[in-house]
Amino acid sequence: SRKNISFSMSRPSSDMAAFQAEVKNSKNVLILSGAGVSAESGVPTFRGAGGFWRKYAAQELANPDAFSRNPSLVWEFYHYRREVMVTKKPNPAHKAIARFEQKMVNEGKKVVVVTQNIDELHRQAGTQSLIELHGTLFKTRCTSCGEVKENRDSPICEALRDRGMPDPQAQSSQIPLNLLPRCQSCSGLLRPHVVWFGENLDRNVLKRAMDEIQSCDLCLVVGTSSVVYPAAMFAPEVARRGVTVAEFNLEDTPETFNFKYHFSGPAGQLIPVALGNE
Ligand code: BV8
Ligand code: ZN
């Protein structure tokens, strides 16, 4: 006879009071974030409507081949995203996370934020212990000498001024290579200091993230679709250790059933409540 195999695919809990009690007992909290934590700041996410720039999906531009084929187009994409950030501010989710860290540190406890975002809004909100897995919009790396430099110039170079409009019809002429961002030390072509698809994450960034995954006693995973690796493996790895993971998202993700809690709704509303500092 066929054994009726029943999987315990029980839905994660949405009991906020129970989760808040676990937060109170925690001493080493890992907070993993994706584009959804910045959505209420007005920063487009990758998969939502904002996920396209002109007629391209982000991953068609956020890769080394696209950059070597058409550095002008890729720079327009990143220039646009840098300029978008000029008017964007941390939202209540970023702020609650920063306040929570402050409170925990004052009690001799620990909070670390591991973000996939390159918008620096956690930093702007005051988060101190921050690992930026995929780099930042506000650093460049020289493709010749490798020099990494912070750069907040708006625009980053004269040739990109008023360029990068996102509407699909926008056509743009090629900016000559020598007018794209150039290295002040060796005049090599600069690229954004971000991790593109097909590129490895920085080895010691990955090591630090893995250490936090192994040592935390509670994990929140906020506003990520959990489809991009290796970041998508981090929260499931914590759950596999038997440590509580709470997912905060507008929708279910491929990992939702791995987690003890799933809270549906906007991070800007849920995170202040979950961390007890609305
Ligand atoms: C690597 C920086 C080794 C640049 C980014 C086939 C199978 C499996 C894996 C692969 C494969 N082929 C290739 C791979 C590897 C690939 C990968 O995972 N591809 C995916 C697409 C399948 N990964 C890589 O290449 C990584 N490197 O693996 O190295 C290697 C080497 C060579 C060859 C193979 C492997 C590097 C990946 C890093 C890429 N760089 N960003 C830039 O930003 O321009 S990724 C970028 O996209 C983000 O950083 C983030 O990681 C990802 C988007 O994810 P999210 O942040 O989750 O955002 P998203 O829009 O998707 O979701 C938003 C979520 O928020 C949604 O769930 C939504 O419901 C929710 N939300 C919205 N609003 C709110 C909200 N939630 C709460 N409140 C709200 N208000
Ligand atoms: Zn250089």
Side-chain angles (χ1 to χ4, degrees):
S1 71
R2 276 173 50 78
K3 272 182 18 147
N4 62 335
I5 308 164
S6 66
F7 292 93
S8 65
M9 290 292 267
S10 60
R11 226 188 122 70
S13 161
S14 59
D15 182 341
M16 181 59 88
F19 179 64
Q20 288 170 322
E22 296 204 44
V23 171
K24 284 197 176 36
N25 288 334
S26 63
K27 294 184 174 48
N28 185 341
V29 178
L30 170 62
I31 301 179
L32 296 164
S33 73
V37 81
S38 298
E40 290 153 273
S41 297
V43 182
T45 64
F46 287 84
R47 291 172 56 259
F52 280 75
W53 176 78
R54 295 196 182 157
K55 55 185 187 306
Y56 305 97
Q59 65 198 63
E60 293 176 80
L61 298 163
N63 75 68
D65 303 340
F67 186 71
S68 57
R69 262 199 323 272
N70 192 339
S72 174
L73 183 69
V74 173
W75 259 117
E76 281 200 78
F77 175 53
Y78 283 95
H79 163 71
Y80 165 70
R81 292 171 67 190
R82 289 163 54 99
E83 297 304 308
V84 158
M85 292 316 301
V86 169
T87 60
K88 302 295 178 287
K89 295 269 163 283
N91 69 57
H94 298 109
K95 290 178 185 165
I97 289 168
R99 280 198 304 272
F100 178 64
E101 177 190 25
Q102 206 47 56
K103 176 174 152 309
M104 290 282 274
V105 166
N106 293 343
E107 295 167 5
K109 298 167 187 167
K110 178 180 174 186
V111 175
V112 60
V113 176
V114 175
T115 188
Q116 300 168 74
N117 302 338
I118 63 173
D119 60 28
E120 293 202 357
L121 287 178
H122 280 300
R123 188 182 299 283
Q124 241 186 75
T127 285
Q128 300 295 309
S129 178
L130 176 66
I131 298 177
E132 293 170 313
L133 290 174
H134 297 154
T136 163
L137 280 169
F138 303 104
K139 279 185 184 160
T140 59
R141 184 167 81 237
C142 178
T143 57
S144 302
C145 72
E147 187 187 45
V148 174
K149 277 183 85 171
E150 190 172 310
N151 183 311
R152 296 179 188 285
D153 299 346
S154 167
I156 187 166
C157 67
E158 222 17 69
L160 279 166
R161 183 180 296 282
D162 304 330
R163 300 281 298 242
M165 290 307 124
D167 48 346
Q169 275 66 36
Q171 292 295 331
S172 44
S173 57
Q174 291 283 346
I175 298 171
L177 271 183
N178 62 320
L179 297 181
L180 287 174
R182 306 299 302 200
C183 176
Q184 280 168 347
S185 311
C186 78
S187 77
L189 176 64
L190 297 180
R191 59 165 279 179
H193 186 52
V194 300
V195 179
W196 279 331
F197 286 95
E199 294 185 324
N200 284 306
L201 278 66
D202 176 289
R203 225 191 354 270
N204 60 35
V205 165
L206 200 50
K207 167 93 180 57
R208 284 166 55 214
M210 299 311 278
D211 292 347
E212 301 302 344
I213 286 158
Q214 295 311 325
S215 60
C216 67
D217 62 13
L218 185 69
C219 175
L220 290 79
V221 52
V222 188
T224 181
S225 56
S226 289
V227 296
V228 172
Y229 291 81
M233 289 182 310
F234 292 174
E237 178 54 34
V238 175
R240 225 189 322 281
R241 289 180 40 228
V243 170
T244 294
V245 179
E247 182 178 51
F248 296 80
N249 202 308
L250 299 177
E251 59 186 14
D252 282 5
T253 69
E255 303 300 342
T256 297
F257 278 89
N258 286 319
F259 304 139
K260 186 172 178 185
Y261 297 95
H262 175 90
F263 299 105
S264 293
Q269 290 171 30
L270 289 173
I271 295 298
V273 172
L275 298 180
N277 61 24
E278 63 253 68

